[in-house]
Amino acid sequence: MNTKYVFVTGGVASSLGKGIIAASLAKLLQARGLRVTIQKFDPYINIDPGTLNPYEHGECYVTDDGAETDLDLGHYERFLGVHMSKANNVTTGKIYNTVITKEREGAYLGKTVQIVPHITDEIKRRMLLLGKTGKYDVVVTEIGGTVGDMESQPFVEAMRQLQWELPDEDFMSIHLTLVPYLAAAKELKTKPTQHSVQQLQQAGVHPDIIVCRTEKPLSPEIRRKIAQFCNVKPGHVIQSIDAPSIYQVPLNMELEKLDDMVLAHFDLSYLPDPDFAGLKLFLDRLYNPVHTVNIALVGKYVELQDAYKSILESFIHAGAANECKVKVHSIQSEHVNDDNIAEKLKGMDGVLVAPGFGERGLEGKIVAIRYARENKIPFFGICLGMQMCVVEFARDVLGLTNAISTEVNPATADPVIDLMEDQKSTTIKGGTMRLGAYDCKLDKDSLAYRIYGSETISERHRHRYEFNNDYLERMEAAGLKASGKNPDTGLVEIVEIQDHPFFIGVQFHPELKSTPEVPQPIFVAFIKAALEYQEKNNA
Ligand code: GLN
């Protein structure tokens, strides 16, 4: 069977959830027995989002092979349970970089290098790349941005060309739009969808299916009207109604028969019906929690939900696993100090200190860590959150009052967190951190081992600084145990305090590997500890 390509574009507005629709379709096709992957084409000129401030573009997601990618790849992994790679996220910057490098090498033999055909050829090459590996039956490609944006035009043009270059039965185009409800007119409005599809058709791309985001159900009349005006088959206009959870969307799309339409187009209608027992069990627990816990998320990007996307999703997964609703309270670490910390953490059953870069809000994180440590509140630190555990412990327990990371003060007398050796000669910022999956060996007598239940684990990293092993002996003697280390380099990856009900800091990003059906073990254990803390406090 030839690899099948489905392209997902969006119109009318951004943030309609194109990534969720792409991931839901992929999930449906996977559940029907196909090998599916998803890729995202982003219109911006950065090579990757690794150098972007989270306020610009939300969290930077990291894959096993060390790519810094768009956060939609996190959704793809969480929905499909398969790992993405460098090839799954392409930006305009990457496309131009390749073409310009080839031009300098003389590969174009004196030709004028142009958007069409050279840029579009490179886009097409990348659009087909994963399909050519032979590992997938279906490749779903999400085109970032909104149709009509100047930036995404070359991507849409490449799609237009592929529409004719690939056999009809191997190519499909899905367009996601918004059908707004006007309360004053008490009506759903189809005009924005008509305009968006017109724009797509002007670019020469014909949608096979139109998915309409809506807050109210679409009547058969409205569906017929959109089909008629937008030149698609009746029945190929479907609704994506606001759902209580993004994980409900694959089931909603199944009800709308999205998978049946796609499989009919690909001549694969004979495939068996999907089995969503695992997903349904997860949703059942999510919708019917028995308990509620309050977790403080202490970070500096808290104003933007997407900045901590994978952490928030991991809490949803871990909550369901504990039959528990997790209420996450964002605390801006810049506003935290010794005088207000008790008030800020009042009623909290657990504290998570978030990853981050730079000085802003750092002292507030340290204050929150101290409070959780001293008051025996379940504590979980991730990356910078782990590094600040080490700083806090060094200052307060070892008496090293100037302890800090050299990221903030390179001249400190006590660099308990210091630049990794191989980072010292690095001057270029993009793609040069310690990135991707590394093994970690756990001490058998530790909380980490009890949580994971195995001696060797693999988690993903994104950092430049590390625990300074010159302080290891003193830290351990005083009660901060290094319970997980890289087996090859000896880098400390996990610290914990054993004289505490639950206090763990990890250098890696466990949130990147949590899925609804396989929740991340530290998050699950943290929520369990928070529940126990709550029960004890209420007793
Ligand atoms: N800024 C720290 C470092 O580079 C931590 C990074 C992070 O939290 N992702 O090591």
Side-chain angles (χ1 to χ4, degrees):
M1 178 177 106
N2 288 348
T3 307
K4 311 291 182 191
Y5 295 90
V6 185
F7 289 84
V8 181
T9 54
V12 182
S14 58
S15 305
L16 292 184
K18 235 182 313 139
I20 302 298
I21 292 296
S24 297
L25 171 63
K27 173 100 186 153
L28 283 167
L29 299 178
Q30 184 193 53
R32 301 192 62 161
L34 294 167
R35 299 167 305 157
V36 190
T37 192
I38 321 181
Q39 55 185 355
K40 170 127 197 233
F41 280 65
D42 274 311
Y44 51 75
I45 296 174
N46 304 64
I47 296 278
D48 61 42
T51 52
L52 289 175
N53 184 313
Y55 284 133
E56 291 282 312
H57 207 64
E59 160 190 278
C60 174
Y61 192 75
V62 180
T63 56
D64 265 355
D65 68 351
E68 294 176 284
T69 75
D70 186 78
L71 59 77
D72 270 332
L73 271 81
H75 290 311
Y76 305 165
E77 287 206 356
R78 289 187 280 270
F79 275 61
L80 294 187
V82 297
H83 290 165
M84 299 288 134
S85 72
K86 287 190 168 128
N88 294 72
N89 194 192
V90 176
T91 64
T92 294
K94 276 192 183 142
I95 300 285
Y96 272 80
N97 201 29
T98 307
V99 171
I100 291 171
T101 305
K102 273 174 72 181
E103 186 274 334
R104 291 289 83 186
E105 288 165 2
Y108 296 108
L109 301 172
K111 288 270 183 226
T112 308
V113 180
Q114 294 180 300
I115 293 183
V116 183
H118 302 101
I119 293 295
T120 47
D121 278 354
E122 177 57 19
I123 296 173
K124 284 192 292 179
R125 187 184 73 80
R126 300 226 189 199
M127 283 175 166
L128 300 179
L129 206 60
L130 283 167
K132 293 219 161 115
T133 61
K135 288 199 266 183
Y136 306 105
D137 303 312
V138 183
V139 178
V140 178
T141 302
E142 178 191 348
I143 307 288
T146 307
V147 164
D149 292 350
M150 186 183 275
E151 283 92 349
S152 53
Q153 274 175 18
F155 293 141
V156 177
E157 167 58 16
M159 234 184 105
R160 183 194 69 76
Q161 294 177 23
L162 285 179
Q163 178 178 245
W164 303 116
E165 289 167 19
L166 291 171
D168 280 356
E169 65 278 14
D170 294 350
F171 177 96
M172 229 185 155
S173 154
I174 297 180
H175 189 58
L176 175 68
T177 71
L178 175 70
V179 176
Y181 179 73
L182 289 195
K186 294 204 177 60
E187 254 183 343
L188 287 163
K189 290 294 183 188
T190 65
K191 194 74 86 190
T193 295
Q194 294 179 41
H195 283 163
S196 172
V197 174
Q198 266 169 20
Q199 206 147 24
L200 189 63
Q201 285 178 334
Q202 266 164 22
V205 173
H206 180 76
D208 295 297
I209 298 173
I210 298 173
V211 180
C212 303
R213 267 306 294 275
T214 173
E215 44 181 294
K216 305 235 183 251
L218 298 188
S219 65
E221 294 76 46
I222 288 204
R223 291 174 193 237
R224 257 198 307 273
K225 183 173 173 190
I226 294 174
Q228 216 162 41
F229 278 97
C230 297
N231 212 14
V232 301
K233 279 189 197 162
H236 278 215
V237 175
I238 65 175
Q239 69 179 25
S240 171
I241 201 152
D242 291 356
S245 159
I246 55 170
Y247 302 107
Q248 177 77 44
V249 179
L251 301 177
N252 290 354
M253 290 299 102
E254 188 195 7
L255 285 176
E256 291 287 307
K257 304 197 183 309
L258 177 62
D259 51 338
D260 290 344
M261 286 176 213
V262 171
L263 293 180
H265 183 94
F266 291 151
D267 243 344
L268 296 170
S269 296
Y270 55 85
L271 288 171
D273 285 343
D275 172 11
F276 282 128
L279 182 62
K280 285 183 176 156
L281 180 69
F282 163 78
L283 285 170
D284 190 42
R285 289 183 163 180
L286 183 69
Y287 294 154
N288 303 294
V290 181
H291 323 275
T292 302
V293 288
N294 293 293
I295 302 291
L297 169 62
V298 184
K300 71 168 172 176
Y301 306 114
V302 288
E303 296 82 358
L304 182 74
Q305 286 284 302
D306 275 357
Y308 299 118
K309 190 75 199 162
S310 292
I311 291 176
L312 297 177
E313 292 303 316
S314 299
F315 276 134
I316 292 173
H317 311 154
N322 283 289
E323 299 187 299
C324 171
K325 180 176 171 58
V326 180
K327 278 197 182 156
V328 179
H329 303 256
S330 296
I331 296 183
Q332 170 53 266
S333 57
E334 255 187 312
H335 302 155
V336 170
N337 56 47
D338 282 323
D339 297 331
N340 65 19
I341 187 66
E343 186 54 34
K344 292 219 183 256
L345 293 184
K346 201 168 153 201
M348 294 298 127
D349 306 309
V351 177
L352 183 140
V353 172
F357 294 84
E359 191 167 10
R360 184 168 70 89
L362 210 60
E363 290 301 321
K365 288 184 172 174
I366 296 170
V367 168
I369 293 167
R370 177 161 311 148
Y371 192 85
R373 180 173 62 80
E374 290 181 343
N375 293 282
K376 304 231 188 282
I377 306 172
F379 174 82
F380 185 7
I382 298 180
C383 206
L384 186 66
M386 170 271 198
Q387 296 176 351
M388 290 310 111
C389 290
V390 176
V391 168
E392 190 281 315
F393 194 84
R395 287 185 187 176
D396 205 51
V397 182
L398 300 186
L400 308 173
T401 47
N402 292 317
I404 190 65
S405 165
T406 53
E407 178 176 2
V408 175
N409 178 7
T412 174
D414 283 301
V416 290
I417 300 294
D418 200 4
L419 204 54
M420 281 181 275
E421 204 44 50
D422 55 3
Q423 287 287 334
K424 290 191 176 150
S425 55
T426 305
T427 50
I428 288 182
K429 292 273 183 269
T432 56
M433 281 189 248
R434 181 175 182 234
L435 291 167
Y438 287 91
D439 278 352
C440 173
K441 192 144 191 284
L442 306 183
D443 187 324
K444 279 198 145 174
D445 177 25
S446 69
L447 173 63
Y449 181 80
R450 288 194 295 282
I451 289 174
Y452 278 94
S454 82
E455 227 177 320
T456 303
I457 58 162
S458 170
E459 295 283 6
R460 298 181 193 163
H461 295 249
R462 182 170 183 253
H463 63 118
R464 288 187 205 282
Y465 295 82
E466 60 162 318
F467 182 107
N468 182 344
N469 272 325
D470 292 348
Y471 293 86
L472 180 59
E473 243 174 74
R474 270 185 283 171
M475 296 269 186
E476 290 210 310
L480 186 77
K481 183 185 175 86
S483 58
K485 290 188 190 141
N486 180 288
D488 305 316
T489 57
L491 287 184
V492 172
E493 314 279 34
I494 308 179
V495 294
E496 54 186 74
I497 290 176
Q498 296 197 298
D499 178 26
H500 189 287
F502 191 101
F503 187 104
I504 190 164
V506 297
Q507 183 61 78
F508 46 78
H509 290 266
E511 72 276 19
L512 301 178
K513 282 187 30 183
S514 188
T515 72
E517 288 165 64
V518 188
Q520 208 287 336
I522 309 181
F523 278 88
V524 176
F526 177 53
I527 296 303
K528 185 161 174 276
L531 266 173
E532 283 162 9
Y533 175 83
Q534 185 187 66
E535 273 159 23
K536 213 172 94 198
N537 268 16
N538 291 344

